Amino acid sequence: FMSFKKDLTKASGASLSRVKIGAAIKLSRETAGYSVDDLSVTTGLTEIEISKIELGADTDPAKLQRIAAALQVSPQTFT
């Protein structure tokens, strides 16, 4: 267990910031009153793609731009 915890501590800052970006996107989506399905329809991204982005597994700048436009917020909102 201890070595697992050390591995988490060593996780790169990049992965942590991706999780933060995902959380910011989810918060923006919920604030706008959008479900994942609503955002999917508006952006043309699949619900799976949006879920991966919100979990921090995908931070493709083009996808983030589409989400920002759909939510009518600046992409900088997510960083």
Side-chain angles (χ1 to χ4, degrees):
F1 177 75
M2 195 59 163
S3 64
F4 178 71
K5 194 170 184 182
K6 283 182 188 171
D7 289 343
L8 284 178
T9 307
K10 285 189 223 169
S12 72
S15 63
L16 182 60
S17 64
R18 289 188 354 202
V19 169
K20 287 182 179 177
I21 290 169
I25 290 170
K26 183 175 182 178
L27 181 62
S28 294
R29 174 180 60 74
E30 291 173 343
T31 300
Y34 277 53
S35 68
V36 172
D37 181 58
D38 294 332
L39 192 56
S40 172
V41 170
T42 308
T43 60
L45 300 172
T46 68
E47 291 180 44
I48 291 171
E49 286 175 305
I50 292 167
S51 294
K52 285 183 178 179
I53 290 166
E54 289 186 354
L55 292 170
D58 181 2
T59 53
D60 180 324
K63 292 177 184 176
L64 299 181
Q65 181 67 43
R66 288 163 72 176
I67 291 171
L71 296 176
Q72 300 179 4
V73 297
S74 164
Q76 282 71 37
T77 303
F78 307 143
T79 57

